[in-house]
Amino acid sequence: MSRRHHHHRRPLLATLAAFAVLAGTAAAAPAAPAAPRTAPAAATPLTTLDDTYYRSAIGKTGTQLKSALHSIISVQSKISYSQVWDALKNTDQDPANSSNVILIYSGRSEPKSDNGGSVGQWNREHVWAKSHGDFGTATGPGTDIHHLRPEDVTVNSIRGNKDFDNGGSAVSGAPGNYTDSDSFEPRDAAKGDVARMILYMAVRYEGDDAFADLEPNEKVNNGSAPNIGRLSVLKQWSQEDPPDTFEKRRNDVIFDQYQHNRNPFIDHPEWVESIW
């Protein structure tokens, strides 16, 4: 199917989340999230992160870069699946309305309080579908908020565990999204976000912590295999939809207040091509 999309940018957040570079955080130790802050200060400059957080990765490429990033981002605190609700109310807060969250695929602003499992509510979307690697909602990949986002219950169900690709029929209630029997195409303003979340998961979970080795591939309809495609499309989406202020703030808040690790492809989008 051939279509031309027009990109729509999300509103820019007026301020970024504050964070401090944390050393020695226990990777396996559960940690309750700090109280959300709605008016964080300015973020630490990328040059400071490169000198500290990413120091062991700078200058590397390919498999060496992937390995270095895996070691860096695997040092994290973990939250429970029930704690994800409150975390998403902070990470995905509507910059124009602090009582609402922005839904990842639909793009709508919805009340934070309207979360649950009923039609018309929003729930917790696993962008890396939890059946791809069979990790469910276990603490770890199942609760990693770098790839968990608020989404309308019905749209979440329509996406299901489909891989990502271009094409399909329009998704009712989510303008700009398309789907067919084995793939899902998000709206233009979410394409890069989706790609960078998938690639984060592929670097973070390498099969050395009792969970499956998650890897992107060129297939769709991957089923329960620990893979999601299509990699070439995800790379294209990351280039076409670079990180915006909303996504950068989200990365900062997760680092500062919850997991204390970062999505490196938000900080360094060029590392996508360096690895894949």
Side-chain angles (χ1 to χ4, degrees):
M1 167 174 288
S2 173
R3 293 191 313 279
R4 293 180 61 87
H5 293 312
H6 297 283
H7 290 264
H8 301 283
R9 310 312 314 163
R10 286 172 289 193
L12 296 183
L13 191 63
T15 54
L16 298 176
F19 61 80
V21 175
L22 303 179
T25 304
R37 290 176 289 177
T38 57
T44 301
L46 182 57
T47 52
T48 302
L49 286 173
D50 287 350
D51 289 341
T52 53
Y53 188 72
Y54 292 123
R55 183 173 54 192
S56 63
I58 298 301
K60 293 182 171 66
T61 59
T63 56
Q64 288 186 335
L65 175 58
K66 187 182 182 189
S67 178
L69 291 176
H70 171 69
S71 296
I72 293 168
I73 67 178
S74 294
V75 179
Q76 69 174 101
S77 298
K78 298 176 182 179
I79 65 176
S80 70
Y81 196 47
S82 62
Q83 289 173 322
V84 168
W85 286 120
D86 285 335
L88 295 184
K89 292 175 184 178
N90 187 12
T91 60
D92 291 72
Q93 179 174 291
D94 182 350
N97 184 347
S98 62
S99 296
N100 288 14
V101 292
I102 299 294
L103 307 186
I104 177 67
Y105 303 135
S106 307
R108 296 199 315 270
S109 178
E110 294 290 329
K112 293 178 178 179
S113 59
D114 197 18
N115 62 298
S118 300
V119 173
Q121 294 184 309
W122 65 268
N123 59 3
R124 298 160 290 187
E125 154 72 343
H126 288 81
V127 176
W128 186 293
K130 56 185 182 289
S131 63
H132 290 238
D134 194 30
F135 52 77
T137 58
T139 301
T143 67
D144 193 320
I145 52 178
H146 275 297
H147 85 117
L148 280 156
R149 301 292 291 266
E151 184 47 60
D152 175 85
V153 167
T154 301
V155 176
N156 193 344
S157 179
I158 291 171
R159 188 265 158 142
N161 68 346
K162 295 173 182 176
D163 294 78
F164 293 103
D165 199 1
N166 291 312
S169 302
V171 175
S172 177
N177 295 259
Y178 301 86
T179 192
D180 56 24
S181 62
D182 55 19
S183 69
F184 189 88
E185 178 184 350
R187 63 193 176 100
D188 289 344
K191 281 183 166 67
D193 305 54
V194 166
R196 287 180 284 273
M197 286 186 280
I198 293 296
L199 299 178
Y200 160 87
M201 294 291 283
V203 172
R204 170 60 185 87
Y205 299 98
E206 293 277 43
D208 56 2
D209 53 2
F211 296 107
D213 179 7
L214 307 182
E215 294 294 338
N217 64 13
E218 277 302 310
K219 294 174 56 180
V220 292
N221 202 19
N222 274 291
S224 62
N227 306 107
I228 283 184
R230 301 184 186 265
L231 175 58
S232 59
V233 173
L234 293 170
K235 289 172 62 178
Q236 179 185 357
W237 289 354
S238 183
Q239 291 179 341
E240 292 176 348
D241 176 35
D244 63 10
T245 304
F246 186 97
E247 190 179 0
K248 291 177 182 178
R249 175 199 179 268
R250 191 175 197 279
N251 198 25
D252 292 341
V253 172
I254 293 172
F255 180 62
D256 183 36
Q257 301 183 36
Y258 297 99
Q259 295 184 181
H260 311 306
N261 71 341
R262 302 185 67 81
N263 182 333
F265 304 111
I266 296 174
D267 296 321
H268 282 281
E270 73 278 7
W271 281 348
V272 172
E273 191 64 37
S274 294
I275 294 174
W276 287 282

